[in-house]
Structures are given as C-alpha cells and as structure tokens.
Amino acid sequence: MDQPQLIQERSAPPATLVIFGASGDLTRRKLLPAVESLARHGRLPDQFALVGVARTPMSDEQFAESALGGRSLSEKRQLAGGVRYVSGGYDDPETYKRLAETLDELDAQRGTSGNRLFYLSTPANAFEPVICGLAGAGLNQANEGSFARLVIEKPYGRDLATARELDGVVHAAFDEANVFRIDHYLGKDTVQNVLALRFANSIFQPIWDRSWVDHVQITVAETLGVGTRGGFYESAGAMRDIVQNHVLQVLALALMEPPASFGGEGLRSEKVKLLQAIRLPTDRDIADAAVRGQYTRGGTREELMAGYREEVGVDPLSRTETYAALRLNVDNWRWAGVPFYVRTGKRLPARVTEVALQFQRPPHLPIPTSQLTELDADALVLRIQPNEGISLRFGAKVPGHSFRVRTASMDFSYDQTFVEESPEAYERLLLDALVGDASLFIRSDEVEQSWRVVDPIIEHWTNDRSPIPTYEAASWGPADADRLIGRNGRKWRNSI
C-alpha cells in the first residue's frame, strides 16, 4: 500500500532582503514582523541577510532594535550578524554604491549567493529614482545562478497612462519575470480559500454560472476614517485606493475560469481574461452604473465621528470619494447577463470583506406565500474578514405543526476548523517572492486591465462638478447606492 506523501514546507533560499523605506510605517508594522516570524518558524536559512535603506540616519543596531520596538533581530539565529542599514537619498548614486559594497560583504560573510530581493516600501514618487539607482549601480543584474527581484507596493500609477510610464521604467531595469507587484489582500489565507472552494470541490462547479446565480455582491467595508492619511487619501480616493486593486482582484479570483494549474502563469492568465471581459462603462452609462459618496459627521452622542472634510490634511471643500459602488457586467459565456455589484467605503457600520453569490429563486413554489415570509433567496457567502469562513444560506422548515419555511444557514469557521496558525499576508508574500513564486502577485497586464475598468469612472467624476453625495459616518453609504442595486428589486447585504 502506498504511503501518503508528506507535504514539504517551503523555506527561502540563501538571499538578502533589501527594504527601501526601512524607517517607514509599513516596514515597522508589517515587513519586519513578517521577517521575524519567518525566522521564528524556520523558513529562513542561516545564509540570509536583511538590509534597510532610507534617508533617516541610523546604525545597524538601531535599525534592528527600533524597527521591532526593542526586540532585536540579532536574537534570531538565522539573522544574527546579518542585519545592515544604509542611509542616503534615493536619488544619490553614493547610496547605491554603499549598498553594493554592503551586499558584496554579506555575500562573502553570510553566503547569500548573490541573491537579492529589493522591496520598495517607499512613497510612489520614489519608485523611479530607486529603480534607476539600482540599475545605475548594476544591482538589477544577477550573476548566473542567482536572482535580483523587485517587489513594488501599490499604488502602481494613478491611471493607465502613469502605470504604463512606470512599467517602462521597471522593464528598462528588470525583466517582468523578476517583478513582483504586491497586493497584500492576495496573501490572506481566506482570499486564497476562494480558490480552494471553487476548484477543490466539484459540487460547486455546476452552479457557478449564469444559469444559477442571480447576482454577486462584493463588499469591502471599513469602520475607520482616513485618520492621519488625509493627505494621501486626497490624491487617491476609494476608487484608486481599494477598487482598482483589492476589489477587482477578489472579483477576478471569484469569477475566473479554472486554470490549468496554479503553477507558472496559469492562475494569473485566467485573472487577466476575466478582467478583459468586464464591459467598459461608457460616459453615458456611468451615472446609472457608478455611485460615489463622502462621509460626513455622524455616529452617536457618545461617539461622534468627524466628517471627511474635517480630517487632518483634507481640503475643506474636498470632492474626494470615500465610498464607491459599481454595477459591472462580464461579457463571457459563464457570466453574461449576471450583474456584479461591488462597493467599498470608509466609516461604514461594520468592518467586513466578503463575496456573496445570490442564487436564482425556484421557478415555482408550491408553498403558500403566507408561509414564506422569512425566506430569502439562497446564497453562498465567502467571508474574507473578519469571522473568516463560508456561509450557505437556504430555506428550511420551522419546527412546529404548521409548514412554515424560513432562511437558515450552515457556517464554516476558519478559526474553529483549523488549528494551524494562519500566517500574516506579508509573511506569505515575502516567502513567495524569495522562493520566486509569482502566482499571488500582479502581472503587468493585470494592472493595465484594472485601470482600464476604473479610469473612465474616475475621469467622469473628475469632470462632474455637481455636489458629491454624502452619507453619515456609521451608515451604509449614500442613498444613491441603494437605488443603484434596487432598480431590479435587489438590495445590499447590510445586516452583515
């Protein structure tokens, strides 16, 4: 009898991780803890090194200790003696000369084999000088048998034109195969569970199309306002900050065709095909298919929340949207005629990310309508955060002498089912980039297709000088959003 094969846990090869923007918030909150966790779980070899690069003057020891709130990285066996810091301007060639010397030194001392992963955790306006600086110092080129890879955070451009300009800079220095555009949503286990649900279970495939699905809702709701990010958010808005990347990535995973395999380019190619099939909104259609909003003061007497225009760094006359809702159509064989409603917003009543497929109602119900007063349409809900899991909603008889039917649910809870620890998104994605697995990263043509969808809407809103619709903080958005989905007798899942 064949013995079951053990799953080989992945670990990083010898390499140096170079973080640009090493003194910044993302590095402190996400990247350094991810490195520490990878080391703690034995995913990093002894031949691993970490280099921080930023303008802020700092010693190697200060970088290691301050970035982790006093928990020294050198306490980790895999990182002992392998932490360096290089200070300097991103547009200064001397910065990259010192970086090259440091990397060569680590290759000799640590045995990192000339493998380098450059992580751009900087503001977007630093992307070009950093990439050009790396190329100018020859750090974009790897020796035979080694790699030089680039990880880039969002935002990747402000629109299709600037995304293409950035691609030109990137591809002049790095081949596409060595470029890893990161969207941390794709590193979440529960986002990847969308793939598991769809492609590891044959029972769902026959109903995952236009014949059974009435419509799909995708919600990314936040309870927080913009906080201290008012200045950034003024130049972004909900469409650029969330819809162009997180929402469309989740939509693509939920609706794409089955890939031939999850390896290589199969997964990413199917996502691109789905994004290409989204019908482009025309200027005439946008008023009926897209809604924006901006939160105003709201909440309770005990917890009164400021309006967006009252936040630090925000223009008192701002027209930036903090809420966006769209109706999208996918013109392919599987989904033709099925509307897809997506929404995202700040200062909403609940923090939730979910995909909900609502199914067609039965063509004929022999049960009197008086006995169906609490019966909703069947639905399959994929909860990405919080309370991660899956819920199947269906009709069931209520116990008793009469034949009454109301909605019931079967729930799968991620935390209660699995005892394994779920890695943080950045931990998973850092390891993927070190290993060279690009499946959960964004390809160049994916970026273009995403901008292709949202650009016409952003341009329309920019040219529309009418007052921006508003909604009270802690409400579910502007009334226009309810009218958007309600035109065909549907409604948002607001009792989440």
Side-chain angles (χ1 to χ4, degrees), residues 37 85 117 123 279 365 379 382 395 420 467:
S37 183
Y85 184 83
L117 180 67
R279 186 186 308 166
L365 279 171
L382 286 64
E420 293 89 342

Side-chain angles (χ1 to χ4, degrees), residues 8-68:
Q8 183 67 42
E9 292 287 356
R10 299 183 309 162
S11 59
T16 301
L17 170 62
V18 181
I19 301 177
F20 287 88
S23 61
D25 183 61
L26 178 64
T27 300
R28 176 182 57 82
R29 289 189 304 106
K30 296 294 184 181
L31 300 184
L32 268 297
V35 172
E36 184 194 32
S37 183
L38 287 172
R40 187 172 66 251
H41 290 93
R43 300 285 180 261
L44 301 179
D46 293 341
Q47 301 80 20
F48 181 84
L50 174 70
V51 177
V53 184
R55 298 185 181 93
T56 306
M58 203 182 308
S59 68
D60 295 346
E61 292 76 14
Q62 287 173 322
F63 168 55
E65 293 174 7
S66 68
L68 283 178

Side-chain angles (χ1 to χ4, degrees), residues 45-167:
D46 293 341
Q47 301 80 20
F48 181 84
L50 174 70
V51 177
V53 184
R55 298 185 181 93
T56 306
M58 203 182 308
S59 68
D60 295 346
E61 292 76 14
Q62 287 173 322
F63 168 55
E65 293 174 7
S66 68
L68 283 178
R71 291 172 293 154
S72 176
L73 277 171
S74 59
E75 295 174 2
K76 304 297 177 187
R77 176 178 57 82
Q78 295 94 330
L79 297 165
V83 181
R84 302 286 188 274
Y85 184 83
V86 176
S87 63
Y90 297 138
D91 55 356
D92 184 355
E94 288 300 313
T95 301
Y96 301 92
K97 181 179 178 181
R98 291 194 297 274
L99 175 60
E101 293 170 353
T102 299
L103 292 173
D104 288 342
E105 181 182 301
L106 288 168
D107 282 343
Q109 294 178 359
R110 303 280 295 179
T112 48
S113 302
N115 292 326
R116 286 88 185 257
L117 180 67
F118 301 105
Y119 197 116
L120 272 57
S121 178
T122 65
N125 59 12
F127 290 173
E128 182 172 349
V130 170
I131 293 167
C132 292
L134 289 172
L139 293 173
N140 60 321
Q141 302 294 327
N143 296 324
E144 186 176 355
S146 302
F147 63 77
R149 298 178 184 139
L150 184 71
V151 180
I152 309 180
E153 279 280 348
K154 74 178 184 75
Y156 200 88
R158 282 184 48 80
D159 50 29
L160 180 56
T162 54
R164 284 174 171 168
E165 290 173 7
L166 179 55
D167 255 355

Side-chain angles (χ1 to χ4, degrees), residues 406-461:
R406 74 180 183 202
T407 294
S409 293
M410 288 194 302
D411 287 307
F412 153 70
S413 172
Y414 216 78
D415 290 341
Q416 293 179 12
T417 301
F418 297 110
V419 296
E420 293 89 342
E421 180 183 355
S422 183
E424 286 292 324
Y426 279 98
E427 183 180 339
R428 165 67 193 265
L429 294 172
L430 268 180
L431 182 57
D432 280 356
L434 286 164
V435 171
D437 181 357
S439 300
L440 298 178
F441 292 84
I442 315 302
R443 209 166 61 188
S444 177
D445 49 355
E446 285 185 70
V447 175
E448 291 202 7
Q449 292 303 322
S450 296
W451 280 120
R452 164 186 165 274
V453 173
V454 303
D455 265 2
I457 301 170
I458 294 174
E459 182 179 2
H460 178 89
W461 287 346

Side-chain angles (χ1 to χ4, degrees), residues 337-355:
V338 177
F340 299 92
Y341 298 96
V342 303
R343 60 174 173 170
T344 184
K346 290 189 173 295
R347 285 296 188 210
L348 299 182
R351 173 179 172 265
V352 62
T353 300
E354 70 166 34
V355 180

